[in-house]
Amino acid sequence: MSIIVVNNLTKDYGYNRGVFNVSFYIDKGEVYGFLGPNGAGKSTTIRHLMGFSKPDSGHTQIYGLDSFTHYNTLLKEVGYLPGEISLPDGLTGWEFIDMMKKLRNMDSDMRTNELIKLFELNPSGETKRMSFGNKRKLAIVVAFMHDPQILILDEPTSGLDPVMQEVFIQFIKREKERGKTILLSSHIFSEVEAVCDRVSIIKLGHIIDEFPMSKLKHADNKIYRVVLSDVKEANQLRSILNQNDYAIIDKQEDRVLYIQVNDKDINELISDLSSFHIQDFTHEKITLEEYFMQYYMGDMQLKGV
């Protein structure tokens, strides 16, 4: 069952800014990664999904309810963590937490206290004077403290130190095990790889690819790292492979070649290598970052993965 649906969402701000015919769905219990650099359209899509803005065309739904029409209802059902943290002035962290508890009619502090301890938050200071990292921690506590079944997270670890980033990733894994439905918008490859079931890549407001994370683990095209005995042999092999239309990924290592080959052609590659002095031949895992960069770097040759 699809809990979150974005269907042909378009919001055109002019000058090629906005999102255009964006569509995806997220099933119950699934963690969906929304991957792209700043300005690609991730936050615009999420703001529409949260009902903060009305689409030019298309629609967004949560639990089958139109986001814009049922904005107030859905806010109570969703744990939302915005990319840009804006907290009210004149309140301490404790007072802000208490205000949000009342808005959500919460009658227990148990989960709130667990989250405060987990993320090592001191909510006693004024929100205006908090560091960016503490503001992020406070926003995390507020987003999760009512234990929502749906989580919409926009760049959730921005501003956290590496230790807290890892704490957050492990926390999301546990939320996933509890059956939560999660949209994770990010430009940090490691956190997307760690928790997501499916991923879409957005560029200039258009979704340009969508795939299960398993695709990277079980792709037909693979990359092999070949270490030659000397630079002369490496250059000779590079010339032969280029003539035979292999994809060679240049990582500027003199005696090392990274060769992309389809599984059906592996015997042919081994035959081409047989006359050279090979010191090492290993399979290289294709990372999410390498796959992503084919869309953002014109000289990348990771095609057909």
Side-chain angles (χ1 to χ4, degrees):
M1 175 184 176
S2 295
I3 302 296
I4 295 173
V5 174
V6 178
N7 186 28
N8 292 321
L9 173 65
T10 294
K11 185 72 170 187
D12 189 349
Y13 295 111
Y15 304 100
N16 293 319
R17 294 180 300 112
V19 292
F20 308 95
N21 296 314
V22 167
S23 295
F24 60 86
Y25 66 90
I26 308 175
D27 288 336
K28 180 175 174 57
E30 185 176 29
V31 182
Y32 188 91
F34 201 31
L35 187 61
N38 294 333
K42 302 189 305 298
S43 294
T44 297
T45 302
I46 286 176
R47 284 196 295 269
H48 282 79
L49 190 55
M50 291 300 301
F52 300 155
S53 184
K54 187 176 182 179
D56 292 339
S57 61
H59 65 266
T60 60
Q61 294 179 333
I62 298 176
Y63 283 137
L65 300 176
D66 180 82
S67 301
F68 188 74
T69 305
H70 298 277
Y71 158 79
N72 287 325
T73 300
L74 293 174
L75 272 182
K76 298 175 183 178
E77 302 294 330
V78 175
Y80 171 54
L81 186 58
E84 296 182 3
I85 304 299
S86 180
L87 301 173
D89 291 340
L91 296 178
T92 66
W94 282 119
E95 289 169 338
F96 178 60
I97 289 171
D98 189 57
M99 180 183 76
M100 296 304 295
K101 281 170 52 183
K102 291 176 180 177
L103 287 173
R104 291 169 174 157
N105 297 315
M106 294 175 58
D107 55 10
S108 173
D109 291 329
M110 185 172 69
R111 181 166 169 83
T112 304
N113 292 334
E114 289 174 354
L115 291 166
I116 289 171
K117 182 178 179 180
L118 177 65
F119 290 101
E120 301 178 4
L121 171 66
N122 180 359
S124 60
E126 291 185 15
T127 57
K128 185 177 181 180
R129 299 180 182 278
M130 285 183 175
S131 67
F132 184 70
N134 277 335
K135 287 180 179 180
R136 175 64 63 181
K137 291 179 184 180
L138 179 58
I140 289 171
V141 169
V142 169
F144 287 87
M145 68 183 187
H146 59 307
D147 204 14
Q149 294 301 303
I150 299 174
L151 301 163
I152 297 179
L153 312 174
D154 191 2
E155 304 288 354
T157 61
S158 174
L160 297 181
D161 63 45
V163 173
M164 279 296 112
Q165 287 180 1
E166 182 59 27
V167 169
F168 183 84
I169 288 172
Q170 296 305 317
F171 174 65
I172 291 298
K173 287 182 178 180
R174 292 193 294 273
E175 293 293 277
K176 177 180 179 178
E177 291 172 356
R178 296 176 66 211
K180 302 297 181 73
T181 303
I182 304 172
L183 171 60
L184 173 64
S185 167
S186 181
H187 63 266
I188 300 175
F189 300 106
S190 58
E191 66 186 26
V192 174
E193 280 185 306
V195 300
C196 292
D197 301 301
R198 285 189 299 127
V199 176
S200 65
I201 296 174
I202 187 168
K203 179 179 182 180
L204 299 176
H206 298 267
I207 288 184
I208 53 177
D209 198 0
E210 184 184 54
F211 54 92
M213 279 301 300
S214 59
K215 178 178 181 178
L216 301 187
K217 299 176 182 178
H218 307 295
D220 290 335
N221 283 9
K222 295 187 173 60
I223 295 176
Y224 292 91
R225 179 178 182 269
V226 182
V227 182
L228 283 299
S229 60
D230 57 47
V231 176
K232 183 178 179 181
E233 277 212 329
N235 290 334
Q236 290 174 346
L237 178 58
R238 182 180 286 107
S239 178
I240 290 173
L241 296 177
N242 280 330
Q243 291 174 14
N244 292 342
D245 295 325
Y246 287 98
I248 301 175
I249 301 160
D250 187 4
K251 296 191 179 182
Q252 298 182 339
E253 298 180 39
D254 290 341
R255 295 188 301 110
V256 183
L257 299 181
Y258 294 85
I259 306 164
Q260 180 178 295
V261 62
N262 192 279
D263 284 342
K264 64 181 176 59
D265 298 322
I266 186 63
N267 289 335
E268 182 179 346
L269 173 63
I270 291 173
S271 176
D272 288 333
L273 298 177
S274 61
S275 59
F276 290 86
H277 297 92
I278 306 298
Q279 293 188 340
D280 190 34
F281 180 80
T282 53
H283 171 231
E284 291 278 296
K285 177 186 174 184
I286 297 176
T287 67
L288 179 60
E289 180 176 4
E290 288 171 325
Y291 186 81
F292 172 86
M293 288 306 295
Q294 70 174 303
Y295 294 108
Y296 279 88
M297 298 290 289
D299 59 346
M300 294 296 288
Q301 298 184 52
L302 292 175
K303 295 183 179 180
V305 177

